C-alpha cells in the first residue's frame, strides 16, 4: 500500500440547496458507508444552550416525519448494517455502513431526519432524551475516577466566552431550562443541507449517489442565515501557569499537563502530532521510558500523550501519568513536566522519529482500510477545509516532519509559563 496520498477516486458535487456530496467508489466489497457531517458542535452553541449539539445526536434517532421512534436503527440493523453518531466541539456526524443494495434506504433515512425531525419532535421525546444525557453525564463524567478531567481541562485551557471553553456534554441547567420551541429552532438553524456534507464510500458509482442524493435531499430547503461559530483562533496568553488540584475518590494520584498548540490541519499541528507520538505513544515513548520504566514513578499502562484534533483554535496537547503506589502527586507532576520540557532541549533521535512515523503510518492506513473510516475522513476534510482530497496531504505532512521542527514547536508552545496542570489526589483515609 502506498505511503502517502489517497489512492481511491474522489468525486464531488453540490446540490442546488447547498448540500455537498462526496463519493469515493471502491468495488472491493459489496458494502457502502454513508457519513453525514453537520457543521455544528459545541463551539457553535450560543450562551445558555450548551449541550444542545450533543442532545441532538440522541434526538436524531428518536423518529422523524416518516420514520417512527426507534425505527431508524431497526431498519438499518435489519438490513444487515451498523450505525452510530458522535458529537465533538467542531461537528456532529451520523453514519451507517450497509450492504450496497441498501444504499437508497440509508440515504432516505438520513434525508428524512434532516428535513423532518422537527414535526416529529415531542415534549415527551425531548424529556426522555434529556434524562438519557443526564445519565450519560453521571456514568461517563461524574461517577468514575478522573472522569471529569476533560470538563476541568477545557476551562483551564480556554477563557470564558471562548467556543471551546465548555465540553460537548454541556450544562444540565441549560438543557433543563430550554423549552421545546428552542430545541426545534436549533435544529432548523443548523440541520440544513447547506450546513452539511454527505459522503458515500464503497460499492456505488458517483452518478448513482448523486442521483439518489438529489432525489431524497434535493427538496429540503437551504437555510439562509446560519450563524457563524465564534472565532476561537486567538487565545491570549496569560503568561502564568494554570493549576488545579482535585481531591476525591480516585485510586492513585494522576496528573494532566496540557498546552494550547496549533489548529488541527495546520503545519504546526502536523509537527505536534509527531511530537505527541514521540512523547507518549507506547513503550518506546519518552514518557514511558522515563517515568514508567526508568524512574518507575508512573504506572506502565497509565502514561501517555495525545493531541486533541480541534480545527478552529489552538488545539490541546495533553500528557498524563498515574502514580505508582507511594509516589506523590507533586513528584509525578514534576517528572511529567521535566519530560515535556526536554522536548525543546534534548533532540529527538533518528530512532525516535522513525518509530513515531511508523506508528502514525500504521494508524493512518488502519483508518483508510475500511469504507467507514474513509467516509469519515473525507467528510471531515470537506467540512473543515473545503476539499476532501486534502485528506491525502496528512500522512505526507507527518512523514516530512524533522527533529528540528519538533524542538522548535516544543520551545514555542510547550513552555511552563502557559501550562495547565490538573492533579487528582486520593482522599485521605484514617
Amino acid at each position: 500500500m502506498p505511503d502517502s496520498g489517497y489512492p481511491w477516486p474522489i468525486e464531488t458535487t453540490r446540490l442546488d440547496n447547498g448540500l455537498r456530496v462526496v463519493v469515493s467508489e471502491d468495488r472491493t466489497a459489496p458494502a457502502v458507508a454513508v457519513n453525514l457531517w453537520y457543521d455544528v458542535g459545541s463551539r457553535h452553541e450560543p450562551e445558555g444552550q450548551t449541550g444542545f449539539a450533543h442532545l441532538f445526536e440522541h434526538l436524531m434517532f428518536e423518529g422523524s416525519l416518516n420514520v417512527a421512534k426507534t425505527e431508524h436503527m431497526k431498519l438499518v440493523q435489519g438490513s444487515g448494517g451498523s450505525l452510530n453518531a458522535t458529537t465533538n466541539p467542531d461537528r456532529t456526524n451520523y453514519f451507517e455502513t450497509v450492504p450496497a443494495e441498501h444504499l437508497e434506504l440509508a440515504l432516505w433515512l438520513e434525508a428524512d431526519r434532516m428535513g423532518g425531525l422537527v414535526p416529529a419532535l415531542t415534549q415527551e421525546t425531548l424529556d426522555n432524551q434529556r434524562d438519557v444525557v443526564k445519565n450519560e453525564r453521571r456514568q461517563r463524567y461524574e461517577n468514575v475516577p478522573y472522569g471529569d478531567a476533560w470538563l476541568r481541562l477545557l476551562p483551564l485551557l480556554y477563557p470564558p466566552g471562548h467556543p471551546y471553553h465548555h465540553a460537548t456534554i454541556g450544562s444540565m441547567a441549560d438543557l433543563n431550562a430550554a423549552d421545546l420551541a428552542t430545541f426545534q429552532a436549533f435544529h432548523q438553524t443548523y440541520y440544513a443541507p447547506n450546513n452539511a456534507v454527505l459522503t458515500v464510500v464503497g460499492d456505488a458509482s458517483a452518478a448513482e449517489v448523486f442521483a439518489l442524493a438529489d432525489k431524497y435531499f434535493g427538496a429540503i430547503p437551504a437555510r439562509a442565515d446560519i450563524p457563524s461559530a465564534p472565532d476561537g483562533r486567538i487565545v491570549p496568553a496569560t503568561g502564568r501557569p494554570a493549576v488545579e488540584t482535585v481531591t476525591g475518590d480516585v485510586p492513585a494520584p494522576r496528573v494532566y499537563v496540557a498546552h494550547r498548540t496549533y489548529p488541527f490541519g495546520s503545519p504546526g499541528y502536523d509537527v505536534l502530532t509527531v511530537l505527541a507520538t514521540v512523547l507518549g505513544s507506547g513503550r518506546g515513548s519518552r514518557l514511558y521510558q522515563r517515568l514508567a520504566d526508568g524512574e518507575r514513578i508512573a504506572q506502565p499502562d497509565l502514561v501517555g500523550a495525545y493531541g486533541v484534533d480541534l480545527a478552529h483554535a489552538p488545539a490541546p496537547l495533553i500528557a498524563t501519568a498515574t502514580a505508582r503506589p507511594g509516589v506523590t502527586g507533586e513528584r509525578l507532576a514534576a517528572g511529567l513536566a521535566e519530560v515535556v520540557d526536554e522536548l525543546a532541549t534534548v533532540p529527538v533521535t533518528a530512532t525516535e522519529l522513525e518509530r513515531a512515523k511508523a506508528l502514525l503510518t500504521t494508524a493512518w492506513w488502519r483508518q483508510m482500510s475500511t469504507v467507514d473510516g474513509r467516509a469519515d475522513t473525507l467528510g471531515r476534510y470537506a467540512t473543515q477545509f473545503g476539499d476532501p482530497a486534502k485528506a491525502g496531504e496528512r500522512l505526507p505532512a507527518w512523514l516530512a516532519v524533522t527533529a528540528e521542527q519538533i524542538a522548535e514547536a516544543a520551545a514555542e508552545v510547550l513552555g511552563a509559563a502557559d501550562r495547565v496542570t490538573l492533579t487528582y489526589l486520593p482522599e485521605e483515609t484514617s
Side-chain angles (χ1 to χ4, degrees), residues 100-124:
E101 64 265 29
H102 295 299
L103 170 62
E104 188 166 1
L105 170 66
L107 295 178
W108 173 74
L109 286 168
E110 288 295 356
D112 198 63
R113 62 181 177 179
M114 175 189 283
L117 179 82
V118 167
L121 183 58
T122 66
Q123 189 69 49
E124 179 186 3

Side-chain angles (χ1 to χ4, degrees), residues 243-264:
V243 178
E244 182 176 342
T245 300
V246 180
T247 301
D249 186 14
V250 296
R254 176 177 290 181
V255 178
Y256 296 86
V257 166
H259 298 82
R260 293 178 297 274
T261 66
Y262 312 99
F264 168 78

Side-chain angles (χ1 to χ4, degrees), residues 63-69 71 75 108-109 111-113 115-117 119-120:
S64 49
L65 191 61
N66 297 296
V67 180
K69 184 176 182 179
E71 283 298 310
L75 287 167
W108 173 74
L109 286 168
D112 198 63
R113 62 181 177 179
L117 179 82

Side-chain angles (χ1 to χ4, degrees), residues 61-413:
F61 288 94
E62 294 301 304
S64 49
L65 191 61
N66 297 296
V67 180
K69 184 176 182 179
T70 75
E71 283 298 310
H72 186 118
M73 188 171 295
K74 289 178 181 178
L75 287 167
V76 172
Q77 293 176 336
S79 300
S82 61
L83 72 165
N84 212 331
T86 64
T87 310
N88 74 14
D90 290 338
R91 58 94 183 106
T92 310
N93 74 324
Y94 301 86
F95 46 94
E96 300 91 8
T97 301
V98 296
E101 64 265 29
H102 295 299
L103 170 62
E104 188 166 1
L105 170 66
L107 295 178
W108 173 74
L109 286 168
E110 288 295 356
D112 198 63
R113 62 181 177 179
M114 175 189 283
L117 179 82
V118 167
L121 183 58
T122 66
Q123 189 69 49
E124 179 186 3
T125 297
L126 176 58
D127 292 342
N128 175 268
Q129 292 307 304
R130 268 197 279 227
D131 289 340
V132 170
V133 170
K134 290 178 187 178
N135 191 48
E136 180 181 344
R137 183 183 176 101
R138 287 189 289 267
Q139 290 182 340
R140 293 181 55 193
Y141 297 96
E142 296 175 355
N143 295 339
V144 293
Y146 321 108
D148 62 351
W150 185 235
L151 304 186
R152 294 179 181 275
L153 284 169
L154 282 172
L156 294 170
L157 286 162
Y158 305 104
H162 190 278
Y164 290 161
H165 178 73
H166 67 278
T168 57
I169 196 69
S171 159
M172 292 303 101
D174 286 353
L175 292 174
N176 286 332
D179 58 16
L180 181 62
T182 304
F183 281 99
Q184 290 171 328
F186 188 91
H187 183 276
Q188 290 171 325
T189 298
Y190 292 105
Y191 280 78
N194 53 319
N195 200 45
V197 172
L198 170 67
T199 304
V200 177
V201 174
D203 190 11
S205 69
E208 177 186 5
V209 175
F210 294 163
L212 289 172
D214 190 56
K215 177 180 179 180
Y216 292 113
F217 291 89
I220 302 173
R223 172 79 183 190
D225 300 310
I226 299 172
S228 298
D231 187 353
R233 289 171 294 179
I234 303 300
V235 182
T238 64
R240 60 183 183 277
V243 178
E244 182 176 342
T245 300
V246 180
T247 301
D249 186 14
V250 296
R254 176 177 290 181
V255 178
Y256 296 86
V257 166
H259 298 82
R260 293 178 297 274
T261 66
Y262 312 99
F264 168 78
S266 67
Y269 194 77
D270 290 328
V271 176
L272 260 292
T273 301
V274 181
L275 181 156
T277 308
V278 169
L279 177 63
S281 290
R283 291 174 176 265
S285 68
R286 287 194 173 189
L287 285 175
Y288 188 98
Q289 291 291 312
R290 174 73 71 83
L291 303 184
D293 196 36
E295 298 179 26
R296 300 184 65 80
I297 62 174
Q299 296 184 39
D301 296 333
L302 297 173
V303 59
Y306 51 92
V308 183
D309 297 345
L310 304 180
H312 302 284
L317 176 76
I318 300 172
T320 183
T322 303
R324 287 179 183 264
V327 176
T328 65
E330 184 178 16
R331 174 71 186 91
L332 185 66
L336 193 59
E338 185 177 336
V339 179
V340 173
D341 289 340
E342 287 182 356
L343 285 164
T345 58
V346 178
V348 171
T349 66
T351 299
E352 286 180 307
L353 198 57
E354 182 180 354
R355 174 184 173 275
K357 291 178 180 179
L359 288 172
L360 289 167
T361 299
T362 299
W364 174 259
W365 288 117
R366 185 178 293 118
Q367 174 82 359
M368 294 297 102
S369 68
T370 63
V371 290
D372 50 313
R374 274 177 266 150
D376 191 54
T377 300
L378 295 180
R380 155 175 260 183
Y381 281 82
T383 302
Q384 297 184 331
F385 307 112
D387 182 2
K390 284 186 174 293
E393 301 174 0
R394 192 82 299 110
L395 180 58
W398 295 336
L399 296 178
V401 169
T402 67
E404 291 75 20
Q405 288 175 314
I406 290 175
E408 291 168 2
E412 182 175 11
V413 297

